[in-house]
């Protein structure tokens, strides 16, 4: 029994006419008849009642039509989707990203992916930078946006851009521009910062800022989620330092004051990547 025979049977069960069916499946009536007869012989079941006037399904034929039609549709759909995956037009991809690109880079990328590859499923995750290499190597991530440059023989990378850092303060805070930022102005402030890891690029930039303004920060809250940090600043629970791209979120009740410091944004992926889906998405990014 072959899927072609099943397909011939289903087509004939819809048309109930040998000539129309043979035309529809692009074969001859004799080939169609032989394939149906071979299917009946293998199953040891009569599928059709044939007369000079008409073709009818037997009760067994009606049963198999009901059972096989959804199955063959599923098989055909799976085969089509496999071809899309092979061509890089279907399948799924897991992208890691810092929260700070959620308001400009990511929406722009996903809009293009949705337009060009509508059948590609994209899963967005945020993991600690200490696990990024591990998860890329384990194929748990496919593409990784990161503020930290990972140099590893298994990976390749590209610098996407440099992002300005900004001091984030409540809307009515007395600091309104960079010239107002002094050691004295910051001395008694409570800080709300991302969870920092020694050796991380972002952490080193934060240390440089505190060194420039000669303060030992009073860090009251830490969070891996930028949206939480912005909400805490809005509630007047402290101030923060984040990439300026967070300002595109238009969060109410806070102000962003650019600082003369930048943090890089990289994209990482596996060397010699063979997955056509990933390569097609990479072409949109790089």
């Amino acid at each position: 029994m072959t899927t072609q025979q099943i397909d011939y049977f289903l087509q004939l069960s819809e048309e109930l006419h040998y000539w129309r069916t043979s035309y529809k499946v692009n074969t001859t009536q004799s080939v169609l008849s032989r394939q149906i007869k071979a299917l009946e012989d293998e199953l040891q079941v009569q599928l059709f009642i044939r007369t000079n006037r008409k073709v009818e399904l037997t009760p067994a034929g009606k049963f198999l039509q009901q059972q096989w039609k959804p199955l063959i549709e599923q098989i055909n759909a799976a085969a089509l989707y496999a071809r899309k995956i092979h061509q890089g037009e279907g399948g799924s991809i897991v992208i890691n990203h810092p929260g700070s690109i959620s308001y400009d880079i990511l929406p722009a990328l996903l809009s293009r992916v949705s337009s060009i590859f509508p059948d590609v499923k994209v899963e967005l995750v945020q993991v600690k930078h200490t696990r990024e290499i591990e998860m890329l190597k384990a194929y748990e991530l496919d593409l990784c946006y990161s503020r930290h440059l990972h140099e590893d023989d298994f990976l390749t990378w590209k610098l996407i851009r440099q992002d300005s850092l900004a001091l984030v303060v409540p809307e009515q805070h007395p600091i309104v521009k960079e010239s107002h930022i002094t050691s004295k102005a910051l001395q008694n402030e409570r800080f709300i910062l991302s969870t920092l890891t020694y050796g991380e690029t972002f952490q080193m930039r934060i240390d440089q800022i505190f060194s420039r303004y000669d303060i030992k920060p009073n860090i009251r809250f830490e969070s891996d989620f930028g949206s939480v940090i912005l909400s805490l600043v809005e509630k007047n629970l402290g101030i923060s330092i984040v990439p300026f791209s967070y300002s595109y979120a238009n969060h109410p009740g806070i102000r962003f004051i650019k600082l003369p410091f930048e943090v890089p944004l990289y994209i990482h992926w596996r060397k010699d990547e063979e997955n056509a889906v990933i390569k097609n998405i990479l072409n949109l990014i790089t």
Side-chain angles (χ1 to χ4, degrees), residues 195-249:
T195 306
L196 301 178
T197 306
Y198 181 77
E200 186 181 0
T201 304
F202 186 73
Q203 180 265 339
M204 290 189 288
R205 291 291 183 274
I206 296 294
D207 286 348
Q208 290 170 1
I209 292 170
F210 290 145
S211 176
R212 168 171 176 159
Y213 293 107
D214 193 27
I215 60 169
K216 286 189 82 172
N218 175 16
I219 301 174
R220 299 297 301 275
F221 302 100
E222 289 187 348
S223 174
D224 286 327
F225 300 99
S227 57
V228 172
I229 292 174
L230 301 187
S231 295
L232 295 179
V233 172
E234 180 201 349
K235 296 299 183 184
N236 211 25
L237 294 175
I239 65 176
S240 187
I241 299 169
V242 299
F244 184 76
S245 49
Y246 271 116
S247 66
Y248 303 136

Side-chain angles (χ1 to χ4, degrees), residues 104-120:
D104 57 345
I105 283 183
L106 273 186
L109 173 64
L110 297 183
S111 177
R112 294 189 68 195
V113 171
S114 180
S115 174
I116 301 172
F117 306 112
D119 292 321
V120 170

Side-chain angles (χ1 to χ4, degrees), residues 147-198:
R147 298 291 181 190
H148 189 79
L149 174 59
H150 298 293
E151 295 186 282
D152 186 274
D153 290 341
F154 192 73
L155 305 177
T156 189
W157 57 271
K158 181 178 180 179
L159 176 66
I160 298 297
R161 71 182 187 191
Q162 294 281 352
D163 284 334
S164 295
L165 289 174
L167 187 70
V168 189
V169 298
E171 203 164 39
Q172 303 304 319
H173 197 281
I175 296 178
V176 296
K177 53 186 178 180
E178 187 190 336
S179 60
H180 293 175
I181 303 173
T182 63
S183 176
K184 184 177 180 180
L186 297 177
Q187 199 64 49
N188 297 318
E189 292 287 350
R190 295 170 297 180
F191 279 87
I192 307 160
L193 298 178
S194 297
T195 306
L196 301 178
T197 306
Y198 181 77

